Amino acid sequence: MQETLAEWRPAIDDAIAEILPRRVDSAYLESFFGEPTFEYDPEGIQRALADPIWDLLDRGGKRWRAVLFLVFVEAFGEDPEDYLPYATIPEILHNGTIIVDDVEDEAETRRSEPALHHRFGQDVALNAGNAMYFIPLKIITNNPADLPPDRRLSAYEMLMYELNRTHLGQGMDICWHNEREVRATREQYLEMCACKTGCLGRIVARLAAIVTGQSETVERHAAAYAETVAVAFQIGDDVLDVENSLGRAGDFGKAFGNDIREGKKTLLVLHAIEESDPADAERLADIVAAEENTDDEIADALRIIEESGGIEYARERARELSDEALAHVDALDIDSHAAEQLRSFAEFVVDRDV
Amino acid sequence: MQETLAEWRPAIDDAIAEILPRRVDSAYLESFFGEPTFEYDPEGIQRALADPIWDLLDRGGKRWRAVLFLVFVEAFGEDPEDYLPYATIPEILHNGTIIVDDVEDEAETRRSEPALHHRFGQDVALNAGNAMYFIPLKIITNNPADLPPDRRLSAYEMLMYELNRTHLGQGMDICWHNEREVRATREQYLEMCACKTGCLGRIVARLAAIVTGQSETVERHAAAYAETVAVAFQIGDDVLDVENSLGRAGDFGKAFGNDIREGKKTLLVLHAIEESDPADAERLADIVAAEENTDDEIADALRIIEESGGIEYARERARELSDEALAHVDALDIDSHAAEQLRSFAEFVVDRDV
């Protein structure tokens, strides 16, 4: 998988630069955004869009959403090269959500550098992030692979469906984060993950199915695979944070219990609160809700989670979801090489070492 | 015009409430956003989306974008009632941009109440504002007037074209605002207006033309009318700020020269800088660029603008644009009542008394 990612990376960045060049001029602006009524200011758009967007893109990122799209296209029997511009859609969208999320969370850093709103100002960052929600959607109008109208309409309808749900997921996440009380159920937590991160995965899979003209059944299995992998990934992340913290709890000076300190109501926390005796449940809820935590409190929270069987429970849910994802791959009726790639992709995503 | 606005207002708000009810529940969420994979949290979505969005909508606004859409539909010989859900698209989009712009500008108030990010938190406000970019676009998928696929695809392509340009306009505006130097030309300033506010007007007009199946020529004239009115409106705003300020300049204690204090490089400022002698031009540029201004500096800036003929110049450009807008109405081949409505709409927008 790592090889496939590294191989495609330069071509993907070139494709992004076709959509939004590192250096914009009037000719580009007129061809991509249409004729001006009066006169564009290319220098202003350079500073407002191209500079911040490329600043973020050049910080890294494996472009795995674009690569997964290309893997799907190949699995569906088409030449990935022919659909390269479409591969940039989920990638640009994803990076747009990063900028906006960082403003929403008032994040300090992103990929070891100042968050975009700290480097470029909140106004520039936010407008650039929002522009990244619409710039990629124009690719479907530009129609690089000469798709028939019904596929273009399907692509737009799919994107509106999924992009609406990402805002539901983000809304639930923000709301729970701002509330002191712990109100969400475990199933609601998984829905939040399915919406917030799963939808971008679903866009990857469904877009590949739509542009190559697959059946609705194939599109549904591909989407379910991608969503399920994304949710499993999030659970894996939650488990890792607790496991690493338990390992480090005696190791003074190192950060541990980050999710608890940030007040995240993860699947493990929700499990522990539902399954522990009332005293422990209340204690855990208080620790998670507090603005600041002592190391002792964090250690106590981790103990309550561990004693509730939260780690085993979350691991089991992640395993179930992984099995589900693999079942969707089996249902896809694609050749064994492509199926292997999707399976290893799921493993890459779920079994990563932080 | 005022009557038409007041008449339609309740029906428009009902139509918005059909898209996003004041009180959300699982049944609504499933029907609008689709089946959950796990389980929605309606209470969370109430707090994250419905509450902030209706808080803003209930503060007022004339819903003129929705009404103009309905006026166009009637002008094109169709029953506005049949297309009411589509009328909400530009209205919801517009209110979404208000929330996002207020975060970008770090605004304190909106419609005499705290800006949404002050009342609900930046995270909730921003996510709600961004959700308002996508919720209305789903209406085209839901297809309330049973449109054929080619019109739905045209509607999506049109929306992507215009929503991309709004981010260009906002980008130019932000960029100029953040720069000390005055770099934009007058034509670039008008382009910024055409993109930033004109595109929402164009959405109103083009959407009405598309859903009722008008020719490309009709769509183009309708769009040009709406864009031109929007640009004329912005110039009118700029002129009013200077004129009111000149009237108040001796009147101590009252705010005057607001645009100059905010560092806005308006059409009048750009004209004065291009047309004044170098000493005055430099002085004006310095005053506009300064973080703080004394009343004397503001009075000086206003004098330079006035002496350069900036007011007459801007009035003349606005008048030219109004004439252009009326010429586009003439080209529309609609009945005299409808044409009269569009003409009075242009007057309502351009000749308002702040």
Side-chain angles (χ1 to χ4, degrees):
Chain A
M1 201 62 236
Q2 295 286 5
E3 270 170 50
T4 316
L5 288 167
E7 263 168 41
W8 275 113
R9 167 99 202 227
I12 290 163
D13 280 13
D14 287 350
I16 296 175
E18 287 278 320
I19 312 300
L20 183 79
R22 289 168 186 277
R23 188 82 220 156
V24 307
D25 57 24
S26 294
Y28 157 74
L29 291 173
E30 286 181 29
S31 77
F32 192 83
F33 294 96
E35 295 277 320
T37 306
F38 303 93
E39 183 192 342
Y40 286 132
D41 171 25
E43 187 53 37
I45 294 162
Q46 177 72 34
R47 295 181 197 179
L49 295 182
D51 286 347
I53 291 172
W54 279 103
D55 184 281
L56 177 65
L57 291 172
D58 284 336
R59 292 182 191 187
K62 291 198 192 307
R63 314 283 190 255
W64 69 257
R65 289 165 191 81
V67 174
L68 180 57
F69 170 90
L70 297 169
V71 166
F72 267 119
V73 167
E74 195 162 24
F76 296 145
E78 299 279 337
D79 184 353
E81 294 277 356
D82 295 344
Y83 298 89
L84 205 45
Y86 295 101
T88 69
I89 293 177
E91 203 57 61
I92 301 173
L93 287 171
H94 164 67
N95 281 280
T97 65
I98 280 182
I99 299 175
V100 175
D101 284 6
D102 280 351
V103 173
E104 289 175 0
D105 301 344
E106 299 176 28
E108 290 299 321
T109 59
R110 169 61 63 177
R111 295 177 187 153
S112 313
E113 294 186 40
L116 232 63
H117 56 282
H118 284 298
R119 181 165 287 172
F120 292 91
Q122 180 155 291
D123 47 4
V124 168
L126 207 42
N127 186 62
N130 277 176
M132 292 167 91
Y133 290 175
F134 292 105
I135 288 171
L137 304 191
K138 193 115 199 284
I139 295 167
I140 291 158
T141 302
N142 293 352
N143 198 13
D146 203 15
L147 304 181
D150 62 327
R151 290 192 198 172
R152 277 143 62 204
L153 179 57
S154 293
Y156 276 126
E157 294 193 340
M158 176 278 286
L159 284 158
M160 295 310 130
Y161 180 90
E162 302 298 346
L163 290 171
N164 265 292
R165 287 170 70 103
T166 57
H167 289 88
L168 284 192
Q170 178 73 351
M172 288 192 273
D173 195 22
I174 289 170
C175 176
W176 299 336
H177 192 257
N178 292 345
E179 291 170 351
R180 253 195 81 86
E181 52 177 336
V182 178
R183 205 172 42 72
T185 66
R186 285 171 272 182
E187 298 309 297
Q188 288 172 342
Y189 178 80
L190 296 176
E191 185 66 30
M192 182 276 285
C193 300
C195 287
K196 186 176 162 162
T197 46
C199 283
L200 261 167
R202 290 172 57 90
I203 287 174
V204 170
R206 295 184 69 187
L207 191 62
I210 289 169
V211 298
T212 60
Q214 304 304 306
S215 70
E216 273 183 38
T217 310
V218 166
E219 185 181 335
R220 202 171 55 245
H221 282 298
Y225 156 86
E227 173 180 314
T228 311
V229 169
V231 177
F233 171 86
Q234 187 55 56
I235 301 177
D237 227 33
D238 296 350
V239 170
L240 269 178
D241 184 78
V242 169
E243 282 188 326
N244 286 340
S245 299
L246 284 166
R248 280 183 208 148
D251 192 353
F252 292 106
K254 279 199 186 168
F256 71 104
N258 291 329
D259 283 353
I260 294 167
R261 283 184 209 274
E262 288 175 24
K264 284 192 193 162
K265 286 120 184 173
T266 67
L267 188 65
L268 289 78
V269 167
L270 296 174
H271 173 88
I273 288 176
E274 285 184 43
E275 303 293 335
S276 301
D277 62 68
D280 271 353
E282 202 176 317
R283 169 94 177 128
L284 177 59
D286 284 346
I287 294 169
V288 171
E291 284 287 313
E292 295 280 332
N293 292 120
T294 64
D295 283 0
D296 280 348
E297 285 170 343
I298 297 294
D300 214 18
L302 292 167
R303 174 193 59 80
I304 295 168
I305 290 170
E306 201 179 16
E307 286 179 7
S308 77
I311 297 173
E312 293 73 23
Y313 166 76
R315 275 225 195 96
E316 181 55 29
R317 292 290 316 233
R319 194 160 31 236
E320 280 167 21
L321 289 165
S322 287
D323 290 348
E324 243 183 74
L326 299 182
H328 288 297
V329 172
D330 292 340
L332 276 178
D333 189 29
I334 51 181
D335 71 35
S336 62
H337 170 70
E340 192 42 54
Q341 281 216 297
L342 290 179
R343 276 193 288 267
S344 71
F345 207 93
E347 276 162 33
F348 162 75
V349 165
V350 176
D351 290 341
R352 76 227 173 282
D353 266 339
V354 182
Chain B
M1 200 63 235
Q2 294 286 7
E3 271 171 50
T4 316
L5 287 166
E7 262 169 42
W8 274 113
R9 166 100 203 226
I12 290 162
D13 280 12
D14 287 350
I16 296 175
E18 286 278 320
I19 312 301
L20 184 80
R22 288 166 186 279
R23 188 83 221 155
V24 305
D25 57 22
S26 293
Y28 157 73
L29 292 173
E30 286 181 28
S31 77
F32 192 83
F33 294 96
E35 295 277 319
T37 306
F38 302 94
E39 184 192 342
Y40 286 132
D41 171 26
E43 188 55 36
I45 294 162
Q46 178 71 35
R47 297 180 196 179
L49 294 182
D51 286 346
I53 290 172
W54 279 102
D55 184 280
L56 177 65
L57 291 172
D58 284 336
R59 293 182 190 187
K62 291 198 192 306
R63 314 282 190 255
W64 69 257
R65 290 165 191 82
V67 174
L68 180 58
F69 171 90
L70 297 169
V71 166
F72 267 120
V73 166
E74 195 162 23
F76 296 145
E78 299 279 337
D79 184 353
E81 294 278 357
D82 294 345
Y83 297 89
L84 205 45
Y86 295 101
T88 70
I89 293 177
E91 203 56 61
I92 301 173
L93 287 172
H94 164 67
N95 281 281
T97 65
I98 280 181
I99 299 174
V100 175
D101 283 6
D102 280 352
V103 173
E104 289 175 0
D105 302 344
E106 298 175 28
E108 289 298 322
T109 59
R110 169 61 62 177
R111 295 176 186 154
S112 313
E113 294 186 40
L116 232 64
H117 56 281
H118 284 298
R119 181 165 286 172
F120 292 90
Q122 181 155 291
D123 48 3
V124 169
L126 207 43
N127 186 62
N130 278 176
M132 291 167 91
Y133 290 176
F134 292 106
I135 289 172
L137 304 190
K138 192 113 199 283
I139 295 168
I140 291 157
T141 301
N142 294 352
N143 199 11
D146 203 16
L147 305 180
D150 61 327
R151 291 191 198 173
R152 277 144 60 205
L153 179 57
S154 293
Y156 276 126
E157 294 192 339
M158 177 277 287
L159 285 158
M160 295 311 129
Y161 180 90
E162 303 297 347
L163 290 171
N164 264 292
R165 286 169 71 102
T166 58
H167 289 88
L168 284 192
Q170 179 72 351
M172 288 192 273
D173 195 21
I174 290 170
C175 176
W176 299 337
H177 192 256
N178 292 345
E179 291 170 350
R180 253 194 81 86
E181 53 177 335
V182 178
R183 206 172 41 73
T185 66
R186 284 173 271 183
E187 298 309 296
Q188 289 171 343
Y189 178 81
L190 296 176
E191 185 65 30
M192 182 276 285
C193 301
C195 287
K196 186 176 162 162
T197 46
C199 283
L200 261 167
R202 291 172 56 90
I203 287 174
V204 170
R206 295 184 68 187
L207 191 61
I210 289 169
V211 297
T212 61
Q214 305 304 307
S215 70
E216 273 183 38
T217 310
V218 166
E219 185 182 334
R220 202 171 56 245
H221 282 299
Y225 156 86
E227 173 180 313
T228 311
V229 169
V231 177
F233 170 87
Q234 188 54 57
I235 301 177
D237 227 34
D238 296 349
V239 170
L240 269 179
D241 184 80
V242 169
E243 282 186 326
N244 286 340
S245 299
L246 284 166
R248 281 183 208 148
D251 192 352
F252 292 105
K254 278 198 185 167
F256 70 105
N258 290 331
D259 282 353
I260 294 165
R261 282 182 210 276
E262 287 175 24
K264 284 192 190 162
K265 285 119 184 174
T266 67
L267 188 64
L268 289 78
V269 168
L270 296 174
H271 173 88
I273 288 176
E274 285 184 42
E275 303 293 335
S276 303
D277 62 67
D280 271 353
E282 201 176 317
R283 168 96 176 126
L284 178 58
D286 283 345
I287 294 170
V288 171
E291 284 287 312
E292 295 280 331
N293 292 119
T294 65
D295 283 1
D296 280 348
E297 283 170 342
I298 297 294
D300 214 19
L302 292 167
R303 174 191 60 76
I304 296 167
I305 290 171
E306 201 178 16
E307 287 178 7
S308 78
I311 297 173
E312 293 73 21
Y313 165 77
R315 273 225 195 95
E316 180 56 29
R317 292 290 316 234
R319 194 159 31 237
E320 281 167 20
L321 289 165
S322 286
D323 290 348
E324 242 182 74
L326 299 182
H328 287 297
V329 172
D330 292 340
L332 275 178
D333 188 29
I334 51 179
D335 71 37
S336 62
H337 170 70
E340 192 42 54
Q341 283 217 297
L342 290 179
R343 276 191 287 267
S344 71
F345 206 95
E347 278 162 31
F348 161 76
V349 166
V350 176
D351 290 342
R352 76 228 175 283
D353 263 339
V354 181

